Amino acid sequence: MWDQIQADASLIAGAKSVLVQLNEAGFEAYLVGGCVRDTILHKPIHDVDITTSALPAEVMSIFDHTIPTGLQHGTITVVIDDNLFEVTTFREESEYEQYRRPTEVAFIQNLDGDLQRRDFTFNALALDVKGKLHDPFQGQSDLMHRIVRCVGEADARFQEDALRMLRAIRFAACYDCKIDEPTWHALQMHRDKLQFIAMERVRTELEKIVEKSLLSLVRGMKLLVRSELLSCTKSSLSELVIDDDIFQSRIELASDTVSRESWDGSADAITRWALLFTRCEVSPGTAGSLMQRLKFANHTAANIVQLLQMVERVESAQQLGVQGLVRPIWTRAIVDYGKVTAGRMLDLLKADQLFVLRRFKDSEQEGTLIHELNVHGAAWLAALEISQLADLAVRGQDIVKHLKKSPGPWLGNLLKQMLYRVATGEIPNTRSAILDEVNRVIHEYE
Ligand code: ATP
Ligand code: MG
């Protein structure tokens, strides 16, 4: 099976060398979890988790370069040729604290005991250095049949750690799996326990659902709505739950696989979250609040809100029925929200065309703002030579000197107006043209 691992040659060689060195020192060691699962699915792997009978101190004594990443959980990071390997001692999690994973664990000496504490059968697979697969819970078969099944009794496993319910949905969404009936039943029984899980952990799972692909987003949202998990989190996310009837059409993807794959190849995480919020008809303000509840980094949340605001601005211009003015409206929006956000907005408009029910309803109608942006928006964006004050041929102090006026709030407004005019091509970006324009309009600012 080693020859089927899709990864950088140095990552594979490093992983092998970690297993060999542990074996030579007299310990058992296996690749485990996501890297084994993804290899069976013929998917590339990005990181390697290793499970071993060696205790953390023993792991640290065997390798030259180690980092005690999660000592109390038994995890040591081993560094080989700039690659990081998480090496964790076989362990069991006997005591769970209020539906969360424990802070203390017990180290054990057998692999099966370690695999037994893992969440789903296909995550409880271990591969040894000779290529032998250890699969005590028929995880490989579940993977082939695309079934998410808890190791052991789902009922007990979800009570031990309620995050596993969200992980079940994440794996079903990302790997196109069905959730096994008893697992689904237990999930519905215990959804209220999700309130004990830190919102950061909830976010990590949602990020994987939303950011992997359009298909995973759609599948994940369906399962999240059906399971009602989103209203059970510590801080409720119920604004993302939409009525089942509307949901079916709004979140259904059209069958244009080629465009979908090309979109998936290019859109960034910010755009994907904004897409989710627009499909759920969540306002920029509510999106900001949802992201705060999910403990997103401030700058990520700000970028998403800004994109939603830009969409709202363009949509309201659309409602005014402005025709023939599309390019100046777009240009002013770029000046206000920035080029990066504008690029994301174009991606968002493209993605909207991949859904059965379009949100930007006029995208097919020639002459409308959204249609024009779909056709010309990217070229107009690329052609824009100036989009920020720093690019303007005059500075605030030039204007202050020219007018012999003391600076005040008027100055910022005036500069912005000059920027709009230069950006839309009304006047050239030269000192004399801008100062002439300042003379012409200054009375409006006095
Ligand atoms: P990814 O591709 O997202 O990294 P992964 O399966 O590697 O997927 P991780 O969160 O990195 O997921 O966890 C590594 C392994 O640890 C899992 O495959 C699983 O065996 C185990 N695991 C992780 N979280 C839990 C949990 N909440 N309960 C039980 N086992 C878990
Ligand atoms: Mg992993």
Side-chain angles (χ1 to χ4, degrees), residues 33 37 115-125 137-139 142 147-152 154 157-158 161 163-172 179 183 187 205:
R37 179 194 66 222
L115 294 179
Q116 205 161 2
R117 71 161 169 98
R118 295 174 184 268
D119 46 7
F120 304 110
T121 56
F122 53 53
N123 283 343
L125 296 165
F137 310 106
Q138 289 74 51
D142 282 345
I147 294 170
V148 180
R149 190 196 314 271
C150 280
V151 170
R157 304 314 308 280
F158 289 154
D161 179 359
L163 185 75
R164 289 173 187 154
M165 297 187 280
L166 213 46
R167 285 174 62 87
I169 289 182
R170 191 252 283 191
F171 288 115
I179 298 180
T183 299
L187 192 153
E205 295 303 324

Side-chain angles (χ1 to χ4, degrees), residues 32-35 37 47-49 167 170 208:
V32 73
C35 63
R37 179 194 66 222
D47 52 30
V48 175
D49 291 324
R167 285 174 62 87
R170 191 252 283 191
K208 290 183 177 170

